[in-house]
Amino acid sequence: SDRIGLQTPAVVLCPRHAETHLSDLCPSKMCSSCSEVDMAPLISIIVPVYRVEQYLERCVKSLLAQTYENVEILLVDDGSPDRCPQMCDAYAEKYEKIQVIHQENKGLIMARWVGMQKASGQFFLFVDSDDYLSKNAVEVLHTRIIKDGSDMVIGKHVDAYDDGTINDSFCKWMKQEIISPDDIFSVI
């Protein structure tokens, strides 16, 4: 298979030409003047879902609003005892990009694994169901992977609380660097 994926929580994306005019790095030869979005590689966004009823809608809306359009969203209901299974089904009925996988509770890692097995995309993006992404997050990560020629990108995060406060201390210690495969597990 030509797919790339990891069993660890990480963002894995493929090269797709963005606004950088790096068409020589792009297997689909996308350029800023090309309107054929379907040529861009499909990115599978895998979202394990368990007891996140109050956060799920915000998460799903943020994924549907991404500027990188060629995505599929796999909501993996991990036996959630709340209304999440019904919410997932309703999203799948309403939005063509969303698929739902229902399973007995097996935990986060197994939910991601099942999502990877069902994914059609060439590359994976893992998103926790109580998180949400800025509308250009996938495009930014994608652009980064093209610019550096990387095989994997791990995005930074900011803690945003219901009361409106934000903690970005995690982002302050992160730095841009290229990490060898041997050292990857020391940073995640």
Side-chain angles (χ1 to χ4, degrees), residues 85-99:
Q86 294 82 12
M87 292 171 71
C88 290
D89 289 339
Y91 294 133
E93 286 181 28
K94 188 173 181 178
Y95 302 103
E96 188 175 302
K97 291 183 178 192
I98 296 179
Q99 299 173 41

Side-chain angles (χ1 to χ4, degrees), residues 1-185:
S1 166
D2 291 336
R3 299 188 323 172
I4 296 174
L6 297 178
Q7 294 179 354
T8 57
V11 178
V12 181
L13 300 173
C14 66
R16 174 183 165 254
H17 180 58
E19 297 297 321
T20 55
H21 295 284
L22 298 175
S23 59
D24 56 320
L25 297 177
C26 176
S28 64
K29 302 297 181 204
M30 284 292 280
C31 70
S32 59
S33 63
C34 180
S35 62
E36 297 181 40
V37 174
D38 291 337
M39 292 176 64
L42 180 66
I43 296 173
S44 297
I45 303 175
I46 300 168
V47 184
V49 177
Y50 187 80
R51 290 189 181 183
V52 289
E53 193 173 328
Q54 70 185 55
Y55 304 109
L56 187 58
E57 182 177 5
R58 180 171 58 183
C59 176
V60 170
K61 282 184 177 181
S62 78
L63 301 178
L64 289 167
Q66 289 300 301
T67 56
Y68 187 100
E69 296 179 11
N70 200 17
V71 299
E72 68 174 350
I73 301 166
L74 291 97
L75 302 176
V76 183
D77 165 37
D78 193 32
S80 190
D82 56 8
R83 287 187 30 244
C84 285
Q86 294 82 12
M87 292 171 71
C88 290
D89 289 339
Y91 294 133
E93 286 181 28
K94 188 173 181 178
Y95 302 103
E96 188 175 302
K97 291 183 178 192
I98 296 179
Q99 299 173 41
V100 179
I101 302 161
H102 295 284
Q103 67 177 26
E104 290 182 19
N105 182 256
K106 296 179 183 177
L108 180 64
I109 297 300
M110 288 306 296
R112 285 183 174 150
W113 180 252
V114 167
M116 288 176 16
Q117 296 302 307
K118 301 288 185 179
S120 300
Q122 187 176 356
F123 301 94
F124 307 129
L125 167 63
F126 298 104
V127 175
D128 291 339
S129 51
D130 61 346
D131 293 339
Y132 59 97
L133 302 179
S134 60
K135 69 180 181 177
N136 65 339
V138 175
E139 193 72 43
V140 167
L141 293 168
H142 165 266
T143 300
R144 188 82 247 162
I145 209 164
I146 289 175
K147 199 171 186 181
D148 295 338
S150 303
D151 294 322
M152 180 174 82
V153 175
I154 299 174
K156 298 178 183 180
H157 81 274
V158 173
D159 293 326
Y161 300 97
D162 292 336
D163 66 2
T165 58
I166 293 177
N167 176 3
D168 65 351
S169 61
F170 177 81
C171 293
K172 290 179 180 156
W173 69 264
M174 289 283 292
K175 58 184 178 181
Q176 254 182 358
E177 63 183 302
I178 297 176
I179 301 168
S180 74
D182 296 334
D183 296 331
I184 189 64
F185 292 105

